[in-house]
Amino acid sequence: MTTIASLHIGELAYISEESLNEIPLKLLEMGCLPGAEVELIQLAPLNDPLYICVNGSHLAIRKETASKIQIIKAQ
Amino acid sequence: MSYKKTINVALIGNPNTGKTSLFNELTGLNQKVGNYPGVTVDKKEGHSKLQSNLKAIITDLPGTYSINPTSLDETIVLKTLLNSKSEKTPDVIVVVADVENLKRNLLLFSQIKDLEIPTILAINMADQMKRKGITIDLKLLKKELSNEVVLLSVRKDPDQGIKEVKKAIIKTYNSAKAFPLCNVNNRIDPAYFDRLKEINPKYSIYELWLMITQNSFPDKISEDEKKALLTFKNDSKNLKKYQHKETIYRYQKINEILKKTYLADRSKATDLRAKLDKVFTHKIFGYILFFTVLLLIFQSIFDWASLPMDLIDTVFANLSSYVNKTMPAGVLNNLISEGIIPGIGGIIIFIPQIAILFLFISLLEETGYMSRVVFLMDKIMRRFGMSGKSVIPLISGTACAIPAVMATRNISGWKERLITILVTPFTTCSARLPVYAIIIALIIPDKKIFGIFNLQGLTLLSLYILGFITAIIAAIILHKTLKIKNTSFFVVEMPDYKLPSLKNVFFDVIEKTKAFVFGAGKIILSISIVLWFLASNGPQAYTDVEKNIIEKTVSQEITEVKLNQMIASAKLENSYIGIMGKSIEPLIKPLGYDWKIGIALISSFAAREVFVGTLATIYSVESDDDDITTIKQRMASEVNPETNTKRFNFPVGMSLLVFYAFAMQCMATLAIVKRETKSWKWPLIQFVGMGVLAYICSFVVFQTLS
């Protein structure tokens, strides 16, 4: 399964429709919607938390959450 | 016709949109922190004149990304809005948005619109548009949202912005029109929502829907209606799914509108953020930078606070002796000069340190740097059962635990928040410093080791580190033992870096310092008065003291000063507090303390710093309370009659330092913890746990060293 947690720094992807029900409501409300563009900006030590930019919002989320959100990597 | 009218206006918005700047500009110095009825969270309110006959009470609601709350702060927003049919609630809501994140900001706006309350959209930071390559068709946006929209830059041009916002408030208030923006119900399950509406058509569908999903009801709703609403909860297993659908539909609608009205050319955006983030969130440099910043902060607190503290000290000492000399002698004179004035002085003296620390914290938050610290520290703090957001309370705790405990409100996980609250009082707060200072001066030689490090300074530093380490260990134990499921999840916005607004920093420092002055101040002052009473009254033996001593010493040749000192000290021994000290002596003897130290311990259960003042009174030092040299000399010459050695020798001093590092000796903090956890259980656990730890550690330290 390809999720936000498997992105490399600077890599772009799109949130997949499949994980809609796995995305916490709050994250959805902050712009993390299916189809939205997501970029990994920085990782804290031990790769957790992740600093991402999704739909224009700059957010830090924990690996636990990130590994539930499926993505489709940009070509 | 001229009449005066006051309306309620609430400011709502995502964090980092400049909402507080707008509030500060609108209200200026006319702001105060009150309480929400029934909820124990502070409410920021202020007055603003809209036009000659119309005034507004402006409420600054906590920053939130949505009406659906995940933390205590955000719950306030929901509660305020759901009570919209009662009289103390907003007539007009101003949604403050940031031009760069307009899309996300519009989600909150769309939710508020659906509550059918008259609303204004204030798009802030318009001055950034050019730099970020953004253009907005304001006219079309107004039409599409069928709402008043204002573009402003509070920082750059406050006067123009305020004028426009006021105009929009008046206009919206007078038309009092409010329509929903997204008829979410039609998109999800029309039949379900039609049945919902039948319960009470007075409420908007969205309001009723929020009552169900958030389990939060307005005060005025009837029991029957509440019951009927609760059946909808069981009725639909799809509650969560519906909420997801709702949010997605809202974004679709917002995207449609923005497509026509909003254009952002990303290629024009500058990459200052990316450059700074490379350094500030770096896996190695990020931490080095953070600890350097911390070190600089603590260094400046000590450097900058000492002068104003000395000044305050002198002023209150002089005031006290002035009152003592000028007022007619008697009980009232004593109460004022020995109880009230030193009591107030004991509170004011901490203001410089506390204000300076909060100045730094506020600056770090305003610039956006604090979010990076949260990002860097989250994984580490999680090992201890806390969150990256716990770093701010723990740092604040080095000034005063009261504002620190209050700063935990934005931690969304209850377990993480509770652990942070419980361990914060272990960090070395400013009230411990006077105690540490005098004991260190007594037992640690003023020597340099390796030519540069001052031994006394090193001891103080070790006590700070001891506090932090104990907080961490306590957190680990709580993390392992507390059986609370952490339900919420963690998300932090990383805002753009910006120069801090001095006005915001100023108001923030005032607010937090006030929390200390009025939180701790009230208790410290009342305790000083009680202490004064207990120390200056006593049973029959107390009244006879003076006569007995004069009779006993009549044949000896002693000076009047010496005689007075003997009387004062014997009086204290026979006063109520002296009796209390003697009765706990057996309990504290294994720690190396006598009844005199016992009195100081009892009195410092109200507030730690009272220790020094109490000892000064006990040893009847004929000078003001904080004149360290005299108290120090007196303490240094105090002899333990059983062993004929110094009372404050190395083992006793170390035992005291450890006791003060661990014991929960602050009633004000306990009161705040009760308020924030809504039960006496946690402050009680804190009090007993920290007390037992202090006792055991002091016992071990004293017994091993002596």
Side-chain angles (χ1 to χ4, degrees), chain B residues 658-671:
Chain B
V658 169
F659 192 89
Y660 275 83
F662 293 154
M664 180 66 206
Q665 294 160 294
C666 182
M667 300 252 283
T669 304
L670 288 172

Side-chain angles (χ1 to χ4, degrees), chain B residues 92-139:
Chain B
V92 176
I93 290 178
V94 180
V95 176
V96 186
D98 141 28
V99 76
E100 200 189 355
N101 293 304
L102 189 58
K103 195 199 286 176
R104 192 186 66 212
N105 287 272
L106 281 179
L107 178 91
L108 179 65
F109 173 79
S110 81
Q111 291 173 328
I112 286 162
K113 276 296 275 180
D114 287 0
L115 290 172
E116 297 173 32
I117 304 172
T119 303
I120 294 161
L121 177 63
I123 304 176
N124 192 17
M125 307 186 203
D127 54 315
Q128 303 278 322
M129 284 166 66
K130 204 167 190 177
R131 198 166 67 83
K132 311 234 162 170
I134 297 169
T135 40
I136 293 179
D137 184 342
L138 192 63
K139 224 169 162 184

Side-chain angles (χ1 to χ4, degrees), chain A residues 24 26-27 30 48-51 59-66, chain B residues 70 370-379 381-382 386-390 410-413 416 486-494:
Chain A
K26 172 124 181 202
L27 209 50
M30 289 173 94
D48 190 12
L50 295 87
Y51 176 0
L59 310 172
I61 57 172
R62 287 181 181 163
K63 201 174 171 181
E64 185 196 348
T65 317
Chain B
T70 49
M370 218 42 145
S371 300
R372 275 69 185 180
V373 172
V374 171
F375 169 74
L376 282 177
M377 297 300 288
D378 183 60
K379 181 79 183 176
M381 298 306 282
R382 229 181 310 159
M386 294 185 276
S387 143
K389 292 180 184 173
S390 307
N410 71 345
I411 302 176
S412 49
E416 290 173 345
N486 221 348
T487 44
S488 82
F489 88 111
F490 172 94
V491 57
V492 180
E493 191 188 358
M494 309 288 261

